[in-house]
Amino acid sequence: MNTRLIFFLILGLDALTLLYETKNISISYNEALLLYGDTSFLKYLTDCCIALFGQNDIGLRFAMILLHLGSVVLLYLISKNYLKSERNRLWLILVFILLPGVISSALVVNHAGLLIFGLLLYIYISSKYEDKYTFILLLVLAFLDPGFSYLFLGLGVYYLFAKNPLMLAYTFGLYLLSISLYNIKIHGVPNGYFLDLLGLYSAILTPIVFIYIFYVLYKRYLTNKIDKLWYISSTALLLSLVLSFRQRVDVEVFSPYLIVALPLAAQSFVSSYRVRVKEFRKKYKLIFTIAFLFLVLNSVVVFFNHELYRFLENPKKHFAYDMHVAKELAAYLKKEGIACVKTNYKMQLRLKFYGIGECDDILLNEVPLQSSQSKNVTISYNSKPVYEAFVTKINSK
């Protein structure tokens, strides 16, 4: 079958799966905070999609899904510079799509999806055209998101060693502009967040993929097989590790820089595989098979996460609990003719998206599960109660 056709089939299946998954999750507090909080490019982008598709979950997440699909296309185009085989490029795309951090960035309204797309767009344009064509793009990225400041830092290191004073001055100037615009600071006192950061990277990339990317970046440094992409990824990784000794690192900002290093990892893996005779290739096949199966299993768990409630004594320990309940709760309140409530500030903001306003006449108070208190609201998944509350109408007379 034509590889291009297979690629578009993968892309289409990916899009349909993500669109289907939107019906199984609710807006989270952090997403609501972004939507109703301070102005940002991501907020404007989400607002535009909501205006186009309506105030629903499709409208909320459409921009992130679109950015994700654009990232897949860009990665496929970039991989031409690293992988000669069309078949290997398709495998790279599959690994990318199945990464936990990539799935999350495609569904959750946060900065990671925008950063992945912006980084891949820059890498593609800079590999296809000369530096002069990236001047405007880098300036635009500086105003889109604070996370791109580490791109400018990585490029500054690259142009320092490439002995390009003009681009060095320009990228360093953009870095200073970015940290000034967004008030980025190094803070805190020496503390032990290093292992926490490694754990988060392993969760976002899966342990095998993270360890291999780390190994490839280090190996390329030793063998001097480094390019612009290596500088971008390595600088961000090294900075995040150094900062983790002093402060809690925002892994949402730094993880995209490791994700975009996948072409380097794929090139190194294919190269190591090919130089070995058949008898010694089994180890590489086994490693890849285990890693891929782990990615597939993880994806199944993510897309069918409601089933996990069957095995949890405390539903709030579910990894996606913060993205559940609100939509179903709003539907129940509307069914009962309740258009506004007074509840805790996090749920209040989430319910606002689904058309439930704030008022002082009706109180919505969550009740601990299996509590003896009376309750008239129960949200269940697969017949397992995950949220219980009571609604009280206050007589204002």
Side-chain angles (χ1 to χ4, degrees), residues 71-83 89 92 119-125 127 229 260 263:
S71 298
V72 175
V73 173
L74 287 170
L75 181 63
Y76 185 74
L77 295 173
I78 291 168
S79 64
K80 289 182 179 180
N81 300 324
Y82 296 90
L83 300 170
R89 292 168 61 197
L92 172 62
L119 290 171
L120 289 173
L121 181 62
Y122 170 77
I123 293 165
Y124 172 71
I125 292 178
S127 65
L229 178 54
V260 299

mmCIF file with all atom_site columns, all heavy atoms in Angstrom, residues 71-83 89 92 119-125 127 229 260 263:
data_model
loop_
_atom_site.group_PDB
_atom_site.id
_atom_site.type_symbol
_atom_site.label_atom_id
_atom_site.label_alt_id
_atom_site.label_comp_id
_atom_site.label_asym_id
_atom_site.label_entity_id
_atom_site.label_seq_id
_atom_site.pdbx_PDB_ins_code
_atom_site.Cartn_x
_atom_site.Cartn_y
_atom_site.Cartn_z
_atom_site.occupancy
_atom_site.B_iso_or_equiv
_atom_site.pdbx_formal_charge
_atom_site.auth_seq_id
_atom_site.auth_comp_id
_atom_site.auth_asym_id
_atom_site.auth_atom_id
_atom_site.pdbx_PDB_model_num
ATOM 1   N N   . SER A 1 71  ? 1.133  19.147 13.993 1.00 0.00 ? 71  SER A N   1
ATOM 2   C CA  . SER A 1 71  ? 2.418  18.656 14.494 1.00 0.00 ? 71  SER A CA  1
ATOM 3   C C   . SER A 1 71  ? 2.785  17.315 13.870 1.00 0.00 ? 71  SER A C   1
ATOM 4   O O   . SER A 1 71  ? 3.954  17.060 13.556 1.00 0.00 ? 71  SER A O   1
ATOM 5   C CB  . SER A 1 71  ? 2.370  18.521 16.026 1.00 0.00 ? 71  SER A CB  1
ATOM 6   O OG  . SER A 1 71  ? 2.151  19.766 16.644 1.00 0.00 ? 71  SER A OG  1
ATOM 7   N N   . VAL A 1 72  ? 1.790  16.444 13.697 1.00 0.00 ? 72  VAL A N   1
ATOM 8   C CA  . VAL A 1 72  ? 2.034  15.141 13.076 1.00 0.00 ? 72  VAL A CA  1
ATOM 9   C C   . VAL A 1 72  ? 2.544  15.321 11.645 1.00 0.00 ? 72  VAL A C   1
ATOM 10  O O   . VAL A 1 72  ? 3.511  14.677 11.226 1.00 0.00 ? 72  VAL A O   1
ATOM 11  C CB  . VAL A 1 72  ? 0.746  14.285 13.081 1.00 0.00 ? 72  VAL A CB  1
ATOM 12  C CG1 . VAL A 1 72  ? 0.977  12.980 12.315 1.00 0.00 ? 72  VAL A CG1 1
ATOM 13  C CG2 . VAL A 1 72  ? 0.318  13.971 14.508 1.00 0.00 ? 72  VAL A CG2 1
ATOM 14  N N   . VAL A 1 73  ? 1.900  16.217 10.898 1.00 0.00 ? 73  VAL A N   1
ATOM 15  C CA  . VAL A 1 73  ? 2.318  16.475 9.511  1.00 0.00 ? 73  VAL A CA  1
ATOM 16  C C   . VAL A 1 73  ? 3.731  17.044 9.476  1.00 0.00 ? 73  VAL A C   1
ATOM 17  O O   . VAL A 1 73  ? 4.571  16.620 8.670  1.00 0.00 ? 73  VAL A O   1
ATOM 18  C CB  . VAL A 1 73  ? 1.333  17.443 8.821  1.00 0.00 ? 73  VAL A CB  1
ATOM 19  C CG1 . VAL A 1 73  ? 1.849  17.843 7.439  1.00 0.00 ? 73  VAL A CG1 1
ATOM 20  C CG2 . VAL A 1 73  ? -0.050 16.809 8.700  1.00 0.00 ? 73  VAL A CG2 1
ATOM 21  N N   . LEU A 1 74  ? 4.011  17.997 10.357 1.00 0.00 ? 74  LEU A N   1
ATOM 22  C CA  . LEU A 1 74  ? 5.342  18.612 10.392 1.00 0.00 ? 74  LEU A CA  1
ATOM 23  C C   . LEU A 1 74  ? 6.418  17.594 10.757 1.00 0.00 ? 74  LEU A C   1
ATOM 24  O O   . LEU A 1 74  ? 7.505  17.587 10.164 1.00 0.00 ? 74  LEU A O   1
ATOM 25  C CB  . LEU A 1 74  ? 5.358  19.767 11.400 1.00 0.00 ? 74  LEU A CB  1
ATOM 26  C CG  . LEU A 1 74  ? 4.623  21.045 10.971 1.00 0.00 ? 74  LEU A CG  1
ATOM 27  C CD1 . LEU A 1 74  ? 4.498  22.005 12.142 1.00 0.00 ? 74  LEU A CD1 1
ATOM 28  C CD2 . LEU A 1 74  ? 5.354  21.727 9.813  1.00 0.00 ? 74  LEU A CD2 1
ATOM 29  N N   . LEU A 1 75  ? 6.119  16.734 11.730 1.00 0.00 ? 75  LEU A N   1
ATOM 30  C CA  . LEU A 1 75  ? 7.094  15.715 12.126 1.00 0.00 ? 75  LEU A CA  1
ATOM 31  C C   . LEU A 1 75  ? 7.370  14.753 10.964 1.00 0.00 ? 75  LEU A C   1
ATOM 32  O O   . LEU A 1 75  ? 8.519  14.348 10.743 1.00 0.00 ? 75  LEU A O   1
ATOM 33  C CB  . LEU A 1 75  ? 6.577  14.937 13.335 1.00 0.00 ? 75  LEU A CB  1
ATOM 34  C CG  . LEU A 1 75  ? 7.515  13.854 13.873 1.00 0.00 ? 75  LEU A CG  1
ATOM 35  C CD1 . LEU A 1 75  ? 8.816  14.460 14.378 1.00 0.00 ? 75  LEU A CD1 1
ATOM 36  C CD2 . LEU A 1 75  ? 6.833  13.051 14.986 1.00 0.00 ? 75  LEU A CD2 1
ATOM 37  N N   . TYR A 1 76  ? 6.338  14.416 10.227 1.00 0.00 ? 76  TYR A N   1
ATOM 38  C CA  . TYR A 1 76  ? 6.497  13.526 9.068  1.00 0.00 ? 76  TYR A CA  1
ATOM 39  C C   . TYR A 1 76  ? 7.408  14.166 8.021  1.00 0.00 ? 76  TYR A C   1
ATOM 40  O O   . TYR A 1 76  ? 8.274  13.500 7.438  1.00 0.00 ? 76  TYR A O   1
ATOM 41  C CB  . TYR A 1 76  ? 5.123  13.218 8.470  1.00 0.00 ? 76  TYR A CB  1
ATOM 42  C CG  . TYR A 1 76  ? 5.166  12.217 7.335  1.00 0.00 ? 76  TYR A CG  1
ATOM 43  C CD1 . TYR A 1 76  ? 5.385  10.873 7.584  1.00 0.00 ? 76  TYR A CD1 1
ATOM 44  C CD2 . TYR A 1 76  ? 4.972  12.626 6.016  1.00 0.00 ? 76  TYR A CD2 1
ATOM 45  C CE1 . TYR A 1 76  ? 5.419  9.944  6.541  1.00 0.00 ? 76  TYR A CE1 1
ATOM 46  C CE2 . TYR A 1 76  ? 4.998  11.706 4.972  1.00 0.00 ? 76  TYR A CE2 1
ATOM 47  C CZ  . TYR A 1 76  ? 5.225  10.372 5.250  1.00 0.00 ? 76  TYR A CZ  1
ATOM 48  O OH  . TYR A 1 76  ? 5.263  9.466  4.214  1.00 0.00 ? 76  TYR A OH  1
ATOM 49  N N   . LEU A 1 77  ? 7.239  15.472 7.805  1.00 0.00 ? 77  LEU A N   1
ATOM 50  C CA  . LEU A 1 77  ? 8.070  16.182 6.828  1.00 0.00 ? 77  LEU A CA  1
ATOM 51  C C   . LEU A 1 77  ? 9.513  16.323 7.334  1.00 0.00 ? 77  LEU A C   1
ATOM 52  O O   . LEU A 1 77  ? 10.467 16.159 6.569  1.00 0.00 ? 77  LEU A O   1
ATOM 53  C CB  . LEU A 1 77  ? 7.475  17.566 6.547  1.00 0.00 ? 77  LEU A CB  1
ATOM 54  C CG  . LEU A 1 77  ? 6.094  17.580 5.874  1.00 0.00 ? 77  LEU A CG  1
ATOM 55  C CD1 . LEU A 1 77  ? 5.558  19.008 5.807  1.00 0.00 ? 77  LEU A CD1 1
ATOM 56  C CD2 . LEU A 1 77  ? 6.165  16.975 4.472  1.00 0.00 ? 77  LEU A CD2 1
ATOM 57  N N   . ILE A 1 78  ? 9.669  16.621 8.607  1.00 0.00 ? 78  ILE A N   1
ATOM 58  C CA  . ILE A 1 78  ? 11.005 16.778 9.195  1.00 0.00 ? 78  ILE A CA  1
ATOM 59  C C   . ILE A 1 78  ? 11.772 15.460 9.165  1.00 0.00 ? 78  ILE A C   1
ATOM 60  O O   . ILE A 1 78  ? 12.992 15.436 8.957  1.00 0.00 ? 78  ILE A O   1
ATOM 61  C CB  . ILE A 1 78  ? 10.885 17.289 10.650 1.00 0.00 ? 78  ILE A CB  1
ATOM 62  C CG1 . ILE A 1 78  ? 10.374 18.728 10.671 1.00 0.00 ? 78  ILE A CG1 1
ATOM 63  C CG2 . ILE A 1 78  ? 12.224 17.199 11.389 1.00 0.00 ? 78  ILE A CG2 1
ATOM 64  C CD1 . ILE A 1 78  ? 9.954  19.206 12.047 1.00 0.00 ? 78  ILE A CD1 1
ATOM 65  N N   . SER A 1 79  ? 11.051 14.348 9.366  1.00 0.00 ? 79  SER A N   1
ATOM 66  C CA  . SER A 1 79  ? 11.711 13.044 9.456  1.00 0.00 ? 79  SER A CA  1
ATOM 67  C C   . SER A 1 79  ? 12.418 12.642 8.167  1.00 0.00 ? 79  SER A C   1
ATOM 68  O O   . SER A 1 79  ? 13.260 11.738 8.169  1.00 0.00 ? 79  SER A O   1
ATOM 69  C CB  . SER A 1 79  ? 10.695 11.967 9.852  1.00 0.00 ? 79  SER A CB  1
ATOM 70  O OG  . SER A 1 79  ? 9.709  11.813 8.845  1.00 0.00 ? 79  SER A OG  1
ATOM 71  N N   . LYS A 1 80  ? 12.094 13.309 7.051  1.00 0.00 ? 80  LYS A N   1
ATOM 72  C CA  . LYS A 1 80  ? 12.799 13.025 5.790  1.00 0.00 ? 80  LYS A CA  1
ATOM 73  C C   . LYS A 1 80  ? 14.294 13.288 5.916  1.00 0.00 ? 80  LYS A C   1
ATOM 74  O O   . LYS A 1 80  ? 15.106 12.655 5.230  1.00 0.00 ? 80  LYS A O   1
ATOM 75  C CB  . LYS A 1 80  ? 12.228 13.889 4.665  1.00 0.00 ? 80  LYS A CB  1
ATOM 76  C CG  . LYS A 1 80  ? 10.829 13.508 4.213  1.00 0.00 ? 80  LYS A CG  1
ATOM 77  C CD  . LYS A 1 80  ? 10.376 14.395 3.061  1.00 0.00 ? 80  LYS A CD  1
ATOM 78  C CE  . LYS A 1 80  ? 8.980  14.012 2.592  1.00 0.00 ? 80  LYS A CE  1
ATOM 79  N NZ  . LYS A 1 80  ? 8.526  14.878 1.463  1.00 0.00 ? 80  LYS A NZ  1
ATOM 80  N N   . ASN A 1 81  ? 14.646 14.232 6.785  1.00 0.00 ? 81  ASN A N   1
ATOM 81  C CA  . ASN A 1 81  ? 16.060 14.582 6.951  1.00 0.00 ? 81  ASN A CA  1
ATOM 82  C C   . ASN A 1 81  ? 16.802 13.582 7.841  1.00 0.00 ? 81  ASN A C   1
ATOM 83  O O   . ASN A 1 81  ? 18.029 13.628 7.927  1.00 0.00 ? 81  ASN A O   1
ATOM 84  C CB  . ASN A 1 81  ? 16.186 15.978 7.571  1.00 0.00 ? 81  ASN A CB  1
ATOM 85  C CG  . ASN A 1 81  ? 15.554 17.046 6.712  1.00 0.00 ? 81  ASN A CG  1
ATOM 86  O OD1 . ASN A 1 81  ? 15.615 16.983 5.483  1.00 0.00 ? 81  ASN A OD1 1
ATOM 87  N ND2 . ASN A 1 81  ? 14.922 18.039 7.336  1.00 0.00 ? 81  ASN A ND2 1
ATOM 88  N N   . TYR A 1 82  ? 16.058 12.694 8.501  1.00 0.00 ? 82  TYR A N   1
ATOM 89  C CA  . TYR A 1 82  ? 16.678 11.779 9.460  1.00 0.00 ? 82  TYR A CA  1
ATOM 90  C C   . TYR A 1 82  ? 16.466 10.308 9.112  1.00 0.00 ? 82  TYR A C   1
ATOM 91  O O   . TYR A 1 82  ? 17.275 9.466  9.504  1.00 0.00 ? 82  TYR A O   1
ATOM 92  C CB  . TYR A 1 82  ? 16.130 12.046 10.869 1.00 0.00 ? 82  TYR A CB  1
ATOM 93  C CG  . TYR A 1 82  ? 16.467 13.422 11.398 1.00 0.00 ? 82  TYR A CG  1
ATOM 94  C CD1 . TYR A 1 82  ? 15.621 14.500 11.180 1.00 0.00 ? 82  TYR A CD1 1
ATOM 95  C CD2 . TYR A 1 82  ? 17.653 13.637 12.094 1.00 0.00 ? 82  TYR A CD2 1
ATOM 96  C CE1 . TYR A 1 82  ? 15.932 15.766 11.662 1.00 0.00 ? 82  TYR A CE1 1
ATOM 97  C CE2 . TYR A 1 82  ? 17.972 14.896 12.583 1.00 0.00 ? 82  TYR A CE2 1
ATOM 98  C CZ  . TYR A 1 82  ? 17.110 15.960 12.353 1.00 0.00 ? 82  TYR A CZ  1
ATOM 99  O OH  . TYR A 1 82  ? 17.437 17.206 12.815 1.00 0.00 ? 82  TYR A OH  1
ATOM 100 N N   . LEU A 1 83  ? 15.382 10.005 8.398  1.00 0.00 ? 83  LEU A N   1
ATOM 101 C CA  . LEU A 1 83  ? 15.069 8.621  8.065  1.00 0.00 ? 83  LEU A CA  1
ATOM 102 C C   . LEU A 1 83  ? 14.811 8.495  6.561  1.00 0.00 ? 83  LEU A C   1
ATOM 103 O O   . LEU A 1 83  ? 13.940 9.180  6.028  1.00 0.00 ? 83  LEU A O   1
ATOM 104 C CB  . LEU A 1 83  ? 13.835 8.159  8.845  1.00 0.00 ? 83  LEU A CB  1
ATOM 105 C CG  . LEU A 1 83  ? 13.927 8.194  10.380 1.00 0.00 ? 83  LEU A CG  1
ATOM 106 C CD1 . LEU A 1 83  ? 12.560 7.951  10.997 1.00 0.00 ? 83  LEU A CD1 1
ATOM 107 C CD2 . LEU A 1 83  ? 14.931 7.161  10.877 1.00 0.00 ? 83  LEU A CD2 1
ATOM 108 N N   . ARG A 1 89  ? 9.594  6.077  8.835  1.00 0.00 ? 89  ARG A N   1
ATOM 109 C CA  . ARG A 1 89  ? 8.955  7.366  9.143  1.00 0.00 ? 89  ARG A CA  1
ATOM 110 C C   . ARG A 1 89  ? 7.535  7.163  9.659  1.00 0.00 ? 89  ARG A C   1
ATOM 111 O O   . ARG A 1 89  ? 7.080  7.885  10.547 1.00 0.00 ? 89  ARG A O   1
ATOM 112 C CB  . ARG A 1 89  ? 8.958  8.254  7.895  1.00 0.00 ? 89  ARG A CB  1
ATOM 113 C CG  . ARG A 1 89  ? 10.354 8.705  7.480  1.00 0.00 ? 89  ARG A CG  1
ATOM 114 C CD  . ARG A 1 89  ? 10.353 9.327  6.102  1.00 0.00 ? 89  ARG A CD  1
ATOM 115 N NE  . ARG A 1 89  ? 9.506  10.514 6.072  1.00 0.00 ? 89  ARG A NE  1
ATOM 116 C CZ  . ARG A 1 89  ? 9.048  11.070 4.963  1.00 0.00 ? 89  ARG A CZ  1
ATOM 117 N NH1 . ARG A 1 89  ? 9.330  10.522 3.788  1.00 0.00 ? 89  ARG A NH1 1
ATOM 118 N NH2 . ARG A 1 89  ? 8.322  12.145 5.025  1.00 0.00 ? 89  ARG A NH2 1
ATOM 119 N N   . LEU A 1 92  ? 7.767  6.102  13.222 1.00 0.00 ? 92  LEU A N   1
ATOM 120 C CA  . LEU A 1 92  ? 8.062  7.284  14.049 1.00 0.00 ? 92  LEU A CA  1
ATOM 121 C C   . LEU A 1 92  ? 6.772  8.049  14.351 1.00 0.00 ? 92  LEU A C   1
ATOM 122 O O   . LEU A 1 92  ? 6.550  8.478  15.491 1.00 0.00 ? 92  LEU A O   1
ATOM 123 C CB  . LEU A 1 92  ? 9.062  8.193  13.330 1.00 0.00 ? 92  LEU A CB  1
ATOM 124 C CG  . LEU A 1 92  ? 9.325  9.563  13.983 1.00 0.00 ? 92  LEU A CG  1
ATOM 125 C CD1 . LEU A 1 92  ? 9.924  9.391  15.370 1.00 0.00 ? 92  LEU A CD1 1
ATOM 126 C CD2 . LEU A 1 92  ? 10.238 10.404 13.111 1.00 0.00 ? 92  LEU A CD2 1
ATOM 127 N N   . LEU A 1 119 ? 7.584  24.496 17.909 1.00 0.00 ? 119 LEU A N   1
ATOM 128 C CA  . LEU A 1 119 ? 8.950  23.978 17.786 1.00 0.00 ? 119 LEU A CA  1
ATOM 129 C C   . LEU A 1 119 ? 9.133  23.211 16.476 1.00 0.00 ? 119 LEU A C   1
ATOM 130 O O   . LEU A 1 119 ? 10.128 23.399 15.769 1.00 0.00 ? 119 LEU A O   1
ATOM 131 C CB  . LEU A 1 119 ? 9.272  23.061 18.973 1.00 0.00 ? 119 LEU A CB  1
ATOM 132 C CG  . LEU A 1 119 ? 9.435  23.739 20.341 1.00 0.00 ? 119 LEU A CG  1
ATOM 133 C CD1 . LEU A 1 119 ? 9.537  22.702 21.442 1.00 0.00 ? 119 LEU A CD1 1
ATOM 134 C CD2 . LEU A 1 119 ? 10.649 24.653 20.359 1.00 0.00 ? 119 LEU A CD2 1
ATOM 135 N N   . LEU A 1 120 ? 8.165  22.364 16.153 1.00 0.00 ? 120 LEU A N   1
ATOM 136 C CA  . LEU A 1 120 ? 8.259  21.591 14.911 1.00 0.00 ? 120 LEU A CA  1
ATOM 137 C C   . LEU A 1 120 ? 8.164  22.497 13.686 1.00 0.00 ? 120 LEU A C   1
ATOM 138 O O   . LEU A 1 120 ? 8.836  22.263 12.673 1.00 0.00 ? 120 LEU A O   1
ATOM 139 C CB  . LEU A 1 120 ? 7.154  20.531 14.866 1.00 0.00 ? 120 LEU A CB  1
ATOM 140 C CG  . LEU A 1 120 ? 7.322  19.359 15.846 1.00 0.00 ? 120 LEU A CG  1
ATOM 141 C CD1 . LEU A 1 120 ? 6.093  18.466 15.828 1.00 0.00 ? 120 LEU A CD1 1
ATOM 142 C CD2 . LEU A 1 120 ? 8.577  18.547 15.513 1.00 0.00 ? 120 LEU A CD2 1
ATOM 143 N N   . LEU A 1 121 ? 7.338  23.547 13.773 1.00 0.00 ? 121 LEU A N   1
ATOM 144 C CA  . LEU A 1 121 ? 7.229  24.496 12.666 1.00 0.00 ? 121 LEU A CA  1
ATOM 145 C C   . LEU A 1 121 ? 8.562  25.198 12.430 1.00 0.00 ? 121 LEU A C   1
ATOM 146 O O   . LEU A 1 121 ? 9.011  25.345 11.285 1.00 0.00 ? 121 LEU A O   1
ATOM 147 C CB  . LEU A 1 121 ? 6.134  25.514 12.955 1.00 0.00 ? 121 LEU A CB  1
ATOM 148 C CG  . LEU A 1 121 ? 5.890  26.575 11.865 1.00 0.00 ? 121 LEU A CG  1
ATOM 149 C CD1 . LEU A 1 121 ? 5.439  25.914 10.568 1.00 0.00 ? 121 LEU A CD1 1
ATOM 150 C CD2 . LEU A 1 121 ? 4.867  27.607 12.343 1.00 0.00 ? 121 LEU A CD2 1
ATOM 151 N N   . TYR A 1 122 ? 9.207  25.620 13.525 1.00 0.00 ? 122 TYR A N   1
ATOM 152 C CA  . TYR A 1 122 ? 10.514 26.274 13.381 1.00 0.00 ? 122 TYR A CA  1
ATOM 153 C C   . TYR A 1 122 ? 11.545 25.308 12.803 1.00 0.00 ? 122 TYR A C   1
ATOM 154 O O   . TYR A 1 122 ? 12.312 25.673 11.896 1.00 0.00 ? 122 TYR A O   1
ATOM 155 C CB  . TYR A 1 122 ? 11.007 26.816 14.723 1.00 0.00 ? 122 TYR A CB  1
ATOM 156 C CG  . TYR A 1 122 ? 12.444 27.260 14.623 1.00 0.00 ? 122 TYR A CG  1
ATOM 157 C CD1 . TYR A 1 122 ? 12.771 28.474 14.021 1.00 0.00 ? 122 TYR A CD1 1
ATOM 158 C CD2 . TYR A 1 122 ? 13.481 26.434 15.054 1.00 0.00 ? 122 TYR A CD2 1
ATOM 159 C CE1 . TYR A 1 122 ? 14.097 28.861 13.861 1.00 0.00 ? 122 TYR A CE1 1
ATOM 160 C CE2 . TYR A 1 122 ? 14.800 26.815 14.910 1.00 0.00 ? 122 TYR A CE2 1
ATOM 161 C CZ  . TYR A 1 122 ? 15.107 28.029 14.304 1.00 0.00 ? 122 TYR A CZ  1
ATOM 162 O OH  . TYR A 1 122 ? 16.405 28.395 14.137 1.00 0.00 ? 122 TYR A OH  1
ATOM 163 N N   . ILE A 1 123 ? 11.579 24.074 13.328 1.00 0.00 ? 123 ILE A N   1
ATOM 164 C CA  . ILE A 1 123 ? 12.565 23.095 12.858 1.00 0.00 ? 123 ILE A CA  1
ATOM 165 C C   . ILE A 1 123 ? 12.373 22.810 11.375 1.00 0.00 ? 123 ILE A C   1
ATOM 166 O O   . ILE A 1 123 ? 13.345 22.716 10.605 1.00 0.00 ? 123 ILE A O   1
ATOM 167 C CB  . ILE A 1 123 ? 12.451 21.788 13.682 1.00 0.00 ? 123 ILE A CB  1
ATOM 168 C CG1 . ILE A 1 123 ? 12.878 22.045 15.128 1.00 0.00 ? 123 ILE A CG1 1
ATOM 169 C CG2 . ILE A 1 123 ? 13.315 20.686 13.068 1.00 0.00 ? 123 ILE A CG2 1
ATOM 170 C CD1 . ILE A 1 123 ? 12.465 20.940 16.087 1.00 0.00 ? 123 ILE A CD1 1
ATOM 171 N N   . TYR A 1 124 ? 11.117 22.705 10.947 1.00 0.00 ? 124 TYR A N   1
ATOM 172 C CA  . TYR A 1 124 ? 10.839 22.426 9.537  1.00 0.00 ? 124 TYR A CA  1
ATOM 173 C C   . TYR A 1 124 ? 11.272 23.589 8.647  1.00 0.00 ? 124 TYR A C   1
ATOM 174 O O   . TYR A 1 124 ? 11.964 23.383 7.637  1.00 0.00 ? 124 TYR A O   1
ATOM 175 C CB  . TYR A 1 124 ? 9.345  22.153 9.339  1.00 0.00 ? 124 TYR A CB  1
ATOM 176 C CG  . TYR A 1 124 ? 8.953  22.040 7.887  1.00 0.00 ? 124 TYR A CG  1
ATOM 177 C CD1 . TYR A 1 124 ? 9.339  20.945 7.126  1.00 0.00 ? 124 TYR A CD1 1
ATOM 178 C CD2 . TYR A 1 124 ? 8.219  23.056 7.268  1.00 0.00 ? 124 TYR A CD2 1
ATOM 179 C CE1 . TYR A 1 124 ? 8.999  20.841 5.778  1.00 0.00 ? 124 TYR A CE1 1
ATOM 180 C CE2 . TYR A 1 124 ? 7.872  22.967 5.929  1.00 0.00 ? 124 TYR A CE2 1
ATOM 181 C CZ  . TYR A 1 124 ? 8.263  21.863 5.188  1.00 0.00 ? 124 TYR A CZ  1
ATOM 182 O OH  . TYR A 1 124 ? 7.940  21.773 3.855  1.00 0.00 ? 124 TYR A OH  1
ATOM 183 N N   . ILE A 1 125 ? 10.893 24.810 9.011  1.00 0.00 ? 125 ILE A N   1
ATOM 184 C CA  . ILE A 1 125 ? 11.216 25.977 8.187  1.00 0.00 ? 125 ILE A CA  1
ATOM 185 C C   . ILE A 1 125 ? 12.720 26.227 8.160  1.00 0.00 ? 125 ILE A C   1
ATOM 186 O O   . ILE A 1 125 ? 13.300 26.540 7.114  1.00 0.00 ? 125 ILE A O   1
ATOM 187 C CB  . ILE A 1 125 ? 10.468 27.227 8.691  1.00 0.00 ? 125 ILE A CB  1
ATOM 188 C CG1 . ILE A 1 125 ? 8.962  27.055 8.434  1.00 0.00 ? 125 ILE A CG1 1
ATOM 189 C CG2 . ILE A 1 125 ? 10.969 28.492 8.007  1.00 0.00 ? 125 ILE A CG2 1
ATOM 190 C CD1 . ILE A 1 125 ? 8.113  28.204 8.924  1.00 0.00 ? 125 ILE A CD1 1
ATOM 191 N N   . SER A 1 127 ? 15.055 24.043 8.479  1.00 0.00 ? 127 SER A N   1
ATOM 192 C CA  . SER A 1 127 ? 15.744 22.996 7.715  1.00 0.00 ? 127 SER A CA  1
ATOM 193 C C   . SER A 1 127 ? 15.514 23.148 6.211  1.00 0.00 ? 127 SER A C   1
ATOM 194 O O   . SER A 1 127 ? 16.316 22.691 5.410  1.00 0.00 ? 127 SER A O   1
ATOM 195 C CB  . SER A 1 127 ? 15.267 21.606 8.166  1.00 0.00 ? 127 SER A CB  1
ATOM 196 O OG  . SER A 1 127 ? 13.898 21.424 7.867  1.00 0.00 ? 127 SER A OG  1
ATOM 197 N N   . LEU A 1 229 ? 18.715 20.774 16.050 1.00 0.00 ? 229 LEU A N   1
ATOM 198 C CA  . LEU A 1 229 ? 17.693 20.105 16.854 1.00 0.00 ? 229 LEU A CA  1
ATOM 199 C C   . LEU A 1 229 ? 18.283 19.572 18.152 1.00 0.00 ? 229 LEU A C   1
ATOM 200 O O   . LEU A 1 229 ? 17.657 19.641 19.213 1.00 0.00 ? 229 LEU A O   1
ATOM 201 C CB  . LEU A 1 229 ? 17.057 18.970 16.041 1.00 0.00 ? 229 LEU A CB  1
ATOM 202 C CG  . LEU A 1 229 ? 15.998 18.122 16.744 1.00 0.00 ? 229 LEU A CG  1
ATOM 203 C CD1 . LEU A 1 229 ? 14.895 18.993 17.328 1.00 0.00 ? 229 LEU A CD1 1
ATOM 204 C CD2 . LEU A 1 229 ? 15.406 17.093 15.772 1.00 0.00 ? 229 LEU A CD2 1
ATOM 205 N N   . VAL A 1 260 ? 10.195 16.649 20.648 1.00 0.00 ? 260 VAL A N   1
ATOM 206 C CA  . VAL A 1 260 ? 10.628 16.969 19.279 1.00 0.00 ? 260 VAL A CA  1
ATOM 207 C C   . VAL A 1 260 ? 11.985 16.366 18.946 1.00 0.00 ? 260 VAL A C   1
ATOM 208 O O   . VAL A 1 260 ? 12.435 16.441 17.794 1.00 0.00 ? 260 VAL A O   1
ATOM 209 C CB  . VAL A 1 260 ? 10.668 18.505 19.042 1.00 0.00 ? 260 VAL A CB  1
ATOM 210 C CG1 . VAL A 1 260 ? 9.288  19.117 19.225 1.00 0.00 ? 260 VAL A CG1 1
ATOM 211 C CG2 . VAL A 1 260 ? 11.689 19.192 19.947 1.00 0.00 ? 260 VAL A CG2 1
ATOM 212 N N   . PRO A 1 263 ? 12.997 12.482 16.179 1.00 0.00 ? 263 PRO A N   1
ATOM 213 C CA  . PRO A 1 263 ? 13.726 12.136 14.941 1.00 0.00 ? 263 PRO A CA  1
ATOM 214 C C   . PRO A 1 263 ? 15.182 11.750 15.202 1.00 0.00 ? 263 PRO A C   1
ATOM 215 O O   . PRO A 1 263 ? 15.721 10.857 14.531 1.00 0.00 ? 263 PRO A O   1
ATOM 216 C CB  . PRO A 1 263 ? 13.633 13.422 14.104 1.00 0.00 ? 263 PRO A CB  1
ATOM 217 C CG  . PRO A 1 263 ? 12.390 14.082 14.574 1.00 0.00 ? 263 PRO A CG  1
ATOM 218 C CD  . PRO A 1 263 ? 12.324 13.791 16.045 1.00 0.00 ? 263 PRO A CD  1
#
